[in-house]
Amino acid sequence: ALKIEPRSPDALTAMALLGLARQNRTEAHTWLDRALEADPTYADAWTLLGNMALSEGDPATAERALGKAIDARKYPTPDRAQRALARLRLGNVAGAEEDVQALRDMGLGEHPVASRIAGILALEKRDLPAATTALESSYAANPNEEVALLLAATHLLLGHPDLAISYQQKSSAPPAEAARRLLETIKPLDPGYAKTEPQLQAALAA
């Protein structure tokens, strides 16, 4: 396709995906730059750039790129779920809530990333039952360690140590490291953490 249309944004974005498959992010970024130079409104390239930025720990670039993808498309897509995650990492809770509500309005509220964000937002508000429902929905659709850790923390805060430990054990990290991550997740969520830390540590060590 590149020999026929050297400025085809579709072909250039496909080459960026090939670079990712080769685990060569520099190559992927180079192809994406060319794709967006060829067509600054090409949504697929902006989506890929946003998702790459999220995985690279750059939520500001992710929010901007995903916003471009959302603006370029005339139909609902999961891009808003990814932008909600970027906004949450930037501390923009109101913006994340806006994106999650938009996904619900579009009928995409059960998307696993949207459910994960809804769960995190519920945790921020200390609404543990709502957090559990949303996070379990996300985990059922897309099992991963980040959501398992959040569920473990939520269940510990709800007083369900057996469920907490079952989710903690889904981590690929050594038990001591998994326990440390879990306690670090709980710390900002539990105002009484300092008083309950010894009991939590004992429950995790049991």
Side-chain angles (χ1 to χ4, degrees):
L2 285 175
K3 290 181 180 178
I4 300 171
E5 297 183 70
R7 287 181 59 80
S8 163
D10 186 48
L12 292 165
T13 302
M15 293 302 295
L17 284 167
L18 183 60
L20 274 184
R22 293 171 175 161
Q23 298 185 343
N24 188 332
R25 287 180 173 268
T26 300
E27 178 186 345
H29 278 290
T30 298
W31 287 114
L32 275 181
D33 288 344
R34 290 181 58 183
L36 290 169
E37 180 183 352
D39 182 357
T41 67
Y42 190 62
D44 286 353
W46 285 117
T47 294
L48 182 56
L49 178 60
N51 289 336
M52 286 175 60
L54 263 181
S55 67
E56 292 163 0
D58 184 359
T61 296
E63 182 187 26
R64 181 180 67 85
L66 292 164
K68 294 278 190 181
I70 291 165
D71 291 342
R73 290 191 170 101
K74 306 302 181 186
Y75 52 89
T77 74
D79 288 328
R80 279 189 179 272
Q82 296 295 96
R83 188 174 70 174
L85 181 58
R87 286 177 161 179
L88 199 61
R89 290 177 179 172
L90 288 168
N92 183 0
V93 174
E97 288 180 324
E98 178 184 308
D99 277 333
V100 170
Q101 185 57 52
L103 287 164
R104 293 189 183 116
D105 294 343
M106 296 170 184
L108 296 174
E110 297 305 313
H111 186 279
V113 177
S115 296
R116 175 174 32 150
I117 300 304
I120 294 171
L121 290 171
L123 279 174
E124 293 277 342
K125 297 175 181 178
R126 308 296 190 269
D127 186 346
L128 299 180
T132 302
T133 299
L135 292 170
E136 286 182 344
S137 173
S138 177
Y139 190 83
N142 180 31
N144 64 81
E145 290 190 21
E146 180 183 349
V147 178
L149 182 65
L150 290 167
L151 277 166
T154 305
H155 280 297
L156 263 184
L157 293 171
L158 283 167
H160 306 153
D162 290 344
L163 283 171
I165 291 170
S166 73
Y167 278 111
Q168 178 205 357
Q169 291 173 342
K170 298 180 188 299
S171 172
S172 60
E177 174 62 15
R180 185 193 67 77
R181 292 179 188 173
L182 178 53
L183 292 171
E184 286 299 311
T185 301
I186 291 171
K187 188 180 295 185
L189 300 172
D190 182 8
Y193 174 83
K195 295 180 180 179
T196 60
E197 182 179 7
Q199 291 91 327
L200 293 177
Q201 288 178 331
L204 292 172

